[in-house]
């Protein structure tokens, strides 16, 4: 299975985001992962849609918005308009998950569900027929640079089985604490897209070497 790398620009130099997007594009990254935080669902506060839109023309990469916000229904359309190809919403923030996912698809973007470490795989069972992606959090959301939670691997495997049973082409992404040391187990459990922030932008030899190391670790 081909594995994609999605660097999280949360860990990039915020004063030169466009240049950072270009650097990871040249280094062979497949996506730009935008960690959108509203200061309520998670304590941190990050990228508004204008920031994403400003970087959009600079690279030809897939943009994905990971919405860690209490009002995903209101914000998702703004990130689609800003140029995001995929919008990922947390199951924990969506009492009407089916409706929220349908709205993203109808607006023309790929849709996906994010599961916090405590949220079971079964919470997506009824929406598998309508999603393009599942993002399994391997840390509790809110901050970069946290330690990978290995116990989530059984859930990654359970989600992979659900995807196989569905017969649909659904990406299974992991996010949090992903490095060349932790990626092999996550991919072994069934992940095919790796989000990495600190491992890419905090690498002493730069993002290009970091992406190569990550890709060759799996
Ligand atoms: C956590 C974010 C992650 C995070 C990953 O809330 O969703 O995308 O930035 O950062 P690292 O790779 O440093 O754990
Ligand atoms: Zn993320």
């Amino acid at each position: 299975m081909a594995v994609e790398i999605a660097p999280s620009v949360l860990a990039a130099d915020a004063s030169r985001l466009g240049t950072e997007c270009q650097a990871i594009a040249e280094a062979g990254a497949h996506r730009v992962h935008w960690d959108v935080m509203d200061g309520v669902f998670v304590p941190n506060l990050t990228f508004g849609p204008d920031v994403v839109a400003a970087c959009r023309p600079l690279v030809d990469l897939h943009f994905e918005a990971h919405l860690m916000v209490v009002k995903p229904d209101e914000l998702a359309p703004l990130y689609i308009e800003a140029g995001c190809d995929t919008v990922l919403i947390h199951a924990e923030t969506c009492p009407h998950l089916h409706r929220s996912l349908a709205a993203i698809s109808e607006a023309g973007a790929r849709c996906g569900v994010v599961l916090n470490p405590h949220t079971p795989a079964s919470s997506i069972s009824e929406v598998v027929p309508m999603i393009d992606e599942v993002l399994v959090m391997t840390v509790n959301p809110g901050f970069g640079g946290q330690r990978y939670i290995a116990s989530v691997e059984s859930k990654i495997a359970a989600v992979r089985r659900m995807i196989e049973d569905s017969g649909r082409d659904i990406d299974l992404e992991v996010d949090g604490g992903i490095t060349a040391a932790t990626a092999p187990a996550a991919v072994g459990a069934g992940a095919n897209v790796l989000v990495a922030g600190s491992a890419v932008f905090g690498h002493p030899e730069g993002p290009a070497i970091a992406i190569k190391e990550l890709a060759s670790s799996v």
Side-chain angles (χ1 to χ4, degrees), residues 42-200:
V42 291
N44 207 351
L45 188 61
T46 62
F47 317 110
D50 290 353
V51 174
V52 177
C55 294
R56 181 63 284 186
L58 302 179
V59 284
D60 200 16
L61 287 183
H62 184 134
F63 271 20
E64 61 180 19
H66 171 192
L67 300 186
M68 287 162 272
V69 303
V70 293
K71 294 187 172 172
D73 295 335
E74 288 179 22
L75 294 176
L78 306 183
Y79 287 87
I80 296 169
E81 205 175 315
C84 288
D85 304 286
T86 299
V87 177
L88 304 163
I89 55 178
H90 273 259
E92 303 83 13
T93 62
C94 294
H96 308 292
L97 184 59
H98 185 284
R99 179 192 292 158
S100 302
L101 291 165
I104 293 168
S105 294
E106 281 160 22
R110 297 172 75 252
C111 69
V113 181
V114 190
L115 303 176
N116 270 345
H118 76 277
T119 304
S122 59
S123 59
I124 60 163
S125 63
E126 305 309 311
V127 295
V128 165
M130 63 194 298
I131 56 179
D132 302 293
E133 187 156 332
V134 180
L135 170 51
V136 174
M137 292 303 300
T138 42
V139 298
N140 286 290
F143 300 96
Q146 301 182 78
R147 188 191 296 259
Y148 175 81
I149 303 172
S151 60
V152 173
E153 285 160 10
S154 56
K155 179 165 64 182
I156 299 169
V159 171
R160 172 52 66 192
R161 285 193 294 275
M162 291 166 82
I163 291 171
E164 275 169 14
D165 290 348
S166 78
R168 299 191 64 241
D169 183 15
I170 300 174
D171 283 325
L172 174 42
E173 185 168 42
V174 285
D175 183 5
I178 300 297
T179 66
T182 58
V187 170
N192 71 300
V193 186
L194 302 171
V195 177
S198 338
V200 169

